[in-house]
Amino acid sequence: MSEIPFLFQADEDVDLTGVNRLGLMGGTFDPIHQGHLVTAEAARSGFNLDRVIFVPSGQPPHKSGQQITPKEKRYLMTELATVTNPFFDVSRVEVSKDGYSYSADTVRYFRRSLAAGSEIYFITGADAIMEIISWKNIDELFANCTFIAATRPGVQYRAMLEKLERQLKPAYRDKVIAIEVPAMAISSTDIRRRVAEGRTIKYLLPETVEHYIAKQGLYRV
Ligand code: NAP
């Protein structure tokens, strides 16, 4: 399947003027849903962030071999979902790049655009954070940002703590903050399954994204 042409050039990425406390919301967003939006807003208000920039992955290194929706379509769904929140933006930094997307490269890219002393919070799912020991350049990552791990209701929080306790040194563990997000009961996997089975996805994600999925015929088997 051919890719949609770029809507913007990479050098027209988001404007960070006046931003001292930045949230980076990393994810595959296949598709983006209300759980992601509630997580980003909870992090924004809870950690007093000036801006939350959603960063849809280009080619996730841990998903080679898995079928994922083309990156330009995931990017567009992220734009559609976030447009109504003035504190949210979407970056093309990962989708514009060929090859794998590594969070260390992404965080470094934003760190260079911020004033010295600014704070970066990398927000993502607890399941992803549990695998952080395998990420590229984790020493640089922990030097550049603090992590906010969104846990789903249930046992995920304890499982994450136990895993990080075994794998990370204390200085790094202190830079992982868990937030429980009840809306993360919604999952992209469940939404894809529902579409494939012809079940409703109404209210699980913004209406614009629901219509885009239907129009593009995404997730049908
Ligand atoms: P994933 O494996 O698809 O998802 C892991 C779990 O986290 C899923 O339960 C997912 O729920 C949830 N999740 C993902 N993004 C979330 C977010 N922003 N807020 C709340 N929950 C979220 O993970 P992924 O989306 O591919 O990766 C997450 C982030 O970690 C991305 O930015 C990715 O680039 C980064 N990462 C980096 C490396 C590396 O640098 N080597 C390796 C792995 C991941 P849903 O399915 O409902 O989203």
Side-chain angles (χ1 to χ4, degrees), residues 47-88:
F47 293 84
N48 216 4
L49 305 179
D50 299 312
R51 190 87 56 84
V52 177
I53 299 180
F54 286 66
V55 187
S57 321
Q59 198 182 334
H62 58 303
K63 290 192 173 174
S64 59
Q66 271 182 52
Q67 201 182 348
I68 60 172
T69 302
K71 57 191 182 181
E72 291 295 343
K73 294 187 179 184
R74 292 182 288 105
Y75 167 79
L76 198 48
M77 288 191 278
T78 310
E79 282 280 11
L80 290 171
T82 53
V83 74
T84 53
N85 189 323
F87 293 101
F88 289 175

Side-chain angles (χ1 to χ4, degrees), residues 24-27 39 62-63 103-104 107 120-136 138 141-142 145-152 156-169 172-179 184:
L24 293 178
M25 178 75 174
T39 299
H62 58 303
K63 290 192 173 174
S103 302
V107 174
I120 298 181
Y121 291 82
F122 190 92
I123 310 155
T124 195
D127 284 342
I129 295 290
M130 274 196 253
E131 304 304 324
I132 202 164
I133 195 76
S134 68
W135 292 17
K136 193 180 146 197
I138 67 160
L141 254 176
F142 276 103
C145 68
T146 298
F147 290 88
I148 298 177
T151 64
R152 294 194 150 93
Q156 208 183 18
Y157 173 66
R158 183 145 301 284
M160 183 184 74
L161 286 192
E162 283 169 8
K163 192 154 186 191
L164 297 186
E165 182 93 12
R166 285 197 303 274
Q167 295 187 335
L168 291 184
K169 47 185 171 184
Y172 288 179
R173 288 203 303 265
D174 289 347
K175 294 194 86 179
V176 180
I177 303 165
I179 54 170
M184 279 302 297

Side-chain angles (χ1 to χ4, degrees), residues 201-214:
I201 56 170
K202 202 166 259 312
Y203 309 125
L204 298 177
L205 69 187
E207 215 167 31
T208 45
V209 180
E210 181 198 338
H211 289 305
Y212 181 81
I213 290 169

